[in-house]
Amino acid sequence: MHDKPSMPEMVPLDPLPDPRQAVEDAARNEYEIMRSRRTVREFSNRPVSLETLQWLIRTAGSAPSGANKQPWRFVCVQDGELRGRIRRAAEKEEREFYERRANEEWLRDLAPLGTDPDKAFLENAPWLVVVFKLMKGDDGSQVYYPEESIGIAVGMFLAAAHRCGLATLTHTPSPMRFLAEVLERGPNERPYMLIPLGYPAEGCKVPKKALERKPLAEIMVQR
Ligand code: IYR
């Protein structure tokens, strides 16, 4: 008869990670990252590689869209001559806006941001991404919910750039028709937004007012 082997020393099982806690931590971490995004209006001339921009645009292009029609085009401009033309045309519209088109309330709302018709960032950022909305597919087919779709894609672009340590600015000179002419886009493309992309200039500051966000209780309703 053999002795029964004695039990080896036992230790308790490590608790399994709580999957719910993992999701909450991930969501909170995402918040911490995204809340630190700031719109900047002064860019450094430090370059951003074409490959970097290509990944960001692939990310934007992965957005959901109406019937998956992907009604967007991202025109990425570095050419100095084109950017000079874009800046001059945008500043002309912006001067009109600040001097005539904007009403009192609008100007009052903008005052804490310190914006003005000078748009040096259109030439200074390493890239100028001009986003166009497709009113028809390239094959002439219908598109659906283009406004919603392109808004989502641009949001994903801004978030991705921020997560890579890059700064962006959402600029919408109005009207923007001149962009389609300068960039020789076809009749099915409408300018949607100008997005300078790069690193913030050294010592770049942002307006304090722009840091304010509504508290959760004001933006979330639970029923
Ligand atoms: N397009 C102008 C004015 C402007 C309008 C809004 I609304 C802003 O949030 C910021 C600026 C400009 O770019 O100066």
Side-chain angles (χ1 to χ4, degrees), residues 41 94 97-98 106 110 113 115-116 119 171-173:
R41 292 185 166 78
E94 292 294 343
F97 171 82
Y98 283 94
W106 199 339
L110 289 179
L113 303 182
T115 56
D116 62 33
K119 302 301 174 195
H171 179 48
T172 51

Side-chain angles (χ1 to χ4, degrees), residues 8 62 91 98 145 165 208 223:
S62 73
E91 289 182 338
Y98 283 94
Y145 300 99
K208 195 166 171 210
R223 305 200 41 175

Side-chain angles (χ1 to χ4, degrees), residues 20-39:
R20 180 180 136 160
Q21 191 59 47
V23 172
E24 285 176 18
D25 289 350
R28 187 197 175 100
N29 184 50
E30 203 58 32
Y31 164 69
E32 296 294 350
I33 293 170
M34 288 313 301
R35 77 162 179 175
S36 71
R37 182 192 174 277
R38 303 270 84 92
T39 284

Side-chain angles (χ1 to χ4, degrees), residues 184-218:
E184 299 174 349
R185 306 316 307 165
N188 66 327
E189 298 187 27
R190 297 271 184 287
Y192 180 79
M193 194 175 278
L194 279 163
I195 311 179
L197 170 88
Y199 293 93
E202 211 173 310
C204 169
K205 290 190 173 161
V206 295
K208 195 166 171 210
K209 177 85 177 166
L211 308 182
E212 293 172 10
R213 290 295 185 269
K214 293 178 182 177
L216 183 65
E218 225 174 287

Side-chain angles (χ1 to χ4, degrees), residues 146-163:
E147 198 69 33
E148 291 82 351
S149 303
I150 198 165
I152 296 167
V154 165
M156 287 175 58
F157 180 83
L158 302 180
H162 174 63
R163 294 186 57 109

Side-chain angles (χ1 to χ4, degrees), residues 43-45 77 83 120-128 196-198:
F43 289 84
S44 120
N45 60 7
V77 193
R83 294 179 57 164
F121 52 72
L122 292 174
E123 290 190 285
N124 296 347
W127 287 100
L128 182 60
L197 170 88

